Amino acid sequence: QVQLMESGGGSVETGDSLKLSCTASGGISPTCGLGWYRQVPGKTYQGPGGRQLIASIRSDGTITYEDSVKGRFAISRDNAKNTLYLQMNSLKTEDTGVYYCAADPISYTHYMCALSWGQGTQVTVSS
């Protein structure tokens, strides 16, 4: 199973920017939709890992964002590098959490998209 690894998090102030990266230990099928998820202590969501889906990108390039990050975050992928990115601009305190990458909810149960969760990367935004 392909292992994912997130990086790029950090402690920043409101209004700052961060760029997260997600690399894979092996190849990711370009047919797999991918997503960035956020985990916040005490909160559980329906869907993969019980984490909140923040942004997703399908194989056809269709992109979806959670309402609170629209206009501020941008998801992209480089299939040649098996890497997923999340550009985070105008950060707010409510963006704080541990960010993970994984297959998106549609691809999550497909055998070709069996991707293991990484350790996540912590993003802390302070005012």
Side-chain angles (χ1 to χ4, degrees):
Q1 198 169 27
V2 176
Q3 181 70 49
L4 300 173
M5 183 172 68
E6 303 87 355
S7 63
S11 295
V12 297
E13 296 184 345
T14 54
D16 286 347
S17 298
L18 285 172
K19 186 172 184 177
L20 307 184
S21 297
C22 169
T23 57
S25 61
I28 301 176
S29 172
T31 62
C32 297
L34 300 174
W36 283 98
Y37 298 78
R38 178 170 64 207
Q39 185 166 23
V40 178
K43 291 188 176 181
T44 302
Y45 296 85
Q46 286 188 338
R51 295 160 177 156
Q52 184 184 23
L53 180 65
I54 298 301
S56 65
I57 182 167
R58 302 288 300 152
S59 59
D60 64 0
T62 301
I63 290 174
T64 304
Y65 295 105
E66 195 271 330
D67 285 347
S68 69
V69 307
K70 286 180 180 177
R72 299 188 298 120
F73 289 12
I75 187 172
S76 61
R77 64 191 292 176
D78 186 332
N79 291 332
K81 296 182 178 179
N82 293 306
T83 303
L84 182 70
Y85 303 100
L86 185 67
Q87 178 67 47
M88 310 166 70
N89 298 325
S90 302
L91 283 161
K92 303 178 180 180
T93 55
E94 52 262 44
D95 296 322
T96 294
V98 181
Y99 285 73
Y100 299 84
C101 58
D104 74 357
I106 296 175
S107 298
Y108 194 74
T109 57
H110 196 285
Y111 75 97
M112 291 183 64
C113 305
L115 307 173
S116 295
W117 293 93
Q119 295 299 307
T121 186
Q122 175 72 47
V123 172
T124 303
V125 186
S126 58
S127 58

